[in-house]
Amino acid sequence: MTTHPAVLGRYFEDYVVGDVYQHPLGRTISEADNTWLTMLTMNTNQQHVNAHLAAQNPITGGRVIVNSGLTIALTLGLSVLDMSQNAVANLEMTDVRLTHPVYVGDTLYAESLCTGLRASKSRPYAGIVSMVTRGLTSEGDECISFKRSVMVATRESGIGQGHFPEAKTGPLTA
């Protein structure tokens, strides 16, 4: 097993089944993050936005709990840099498990295990990467896990490459 350091984007041929990719970015969840996502998605459960009502919740010890949609989205987002930066399509997400509560002020990190690779039968410029991703709090508690498959471009395809514009004033010089 190899642990890969953080780099910006991988292509299909860069993945190895059995390797773990520790995603370099962490994100602390703010009250605004939780409130905005809850309101944006029209989630009416007051446990996410009403401290007075949440004070009665024995599961959370009376704390406002972070919307699980935010936990999913954030963990997925943290994995993009390594696992789907060069994806052309998300194909599947299954087996979502929310295993530990997340609260405002918690910092999440994520890591992914590559579980499968295969060339795309219908898209010669891409392959399918399957993985298991989990989110961890800064204390090391696993709070979420899920399986995901994405279609990732091959390096040879040129997709996601060469997009930086050429300056009309010429190269940057000292």
Side-chain angles (χ1 to χ4, degrees):
M1 175 178 81
T2 303
T3 299
H4 296 268
V7 297
L8 181 58
R10 290 184 170 81
Y11 291 90
F12 177 70
E13 55 270 44
D14 297 331
Y15 296 95
V16 177
V17 172
D19 281 2
V20 172
Y21 300 83
Q22 293 179 334
H23 312 307
L25 303 177
R27 176 70 154 73
T28 303
I29 299 173
S30 71
E31 184 175 2
D33 296 329
N34 187 47
T35 300
W36 275 101
L37 192 285
T38 300
M39 296 294 104
L40 181 66
T41 58
M42 307 218 17
N43 185 330
T44 59
N45 187 322
Q46 293 288 290
Q47 297 293 332
H48 304 304
V49 294
N50 183 333
H52 179 254
L53 183 121
Q56 302 169 16
N57 187 335
I59 301 293
T60 66
R63 298 168 67 186
V64 169
I65 192 164
V66 167
N67 184 317
S68 57
L70 178 55
T71 304
I72 293 167
L74 180 56
T75 304
L76 175 71
L78 290 171
S79 75
V80 167
L81 186 63
D82 291 309
M83 305 310 289
S84 57
Q85 183 73 38
N86 294 310
V88 293
N90 277 307
L91 302 176
E92 180 178 52
M93 183 183 223
T94 65
D95 301 325
V96 177
R97 296 181 62 235
L98 300 161
T99 53
H100 190 275
V102 177
Y103 301 104
V104 169
D106 283 348
T107 301
L108 298 188
Y109 293 89
E111 62 182 355
S112 298
L113 168 67
C114 180
T115 59
L117 295 169
R118 72 172 177 80
S120 173
K121 295 173 186 154
S122 61
R123 309 277 195 264
Y125 52 81
I128 311 303
V129 179
S130 299
M131 67 204 75
V132 174
T133 298
R134 70 177 176 178
L136 303 171
T137 66
S138 56
E139 292 79 32
D141 294 310
E142 183 176 318
C143 56
I144 184 172
S145 64
F146 51 84
K147 294 179 181 178
R148 181 164 79 113
S149 293
V150 295
M151 182 179 289
V152 177
T154 62
R155 185 171 281 102
E156 184 179 282
S157 73
I159 295 171
Q161 303 170 49
H163 63 277
F164 195 89
E166 186 175 324
K168 291 179 181 177
T169 57
L172 184 62
T173 59

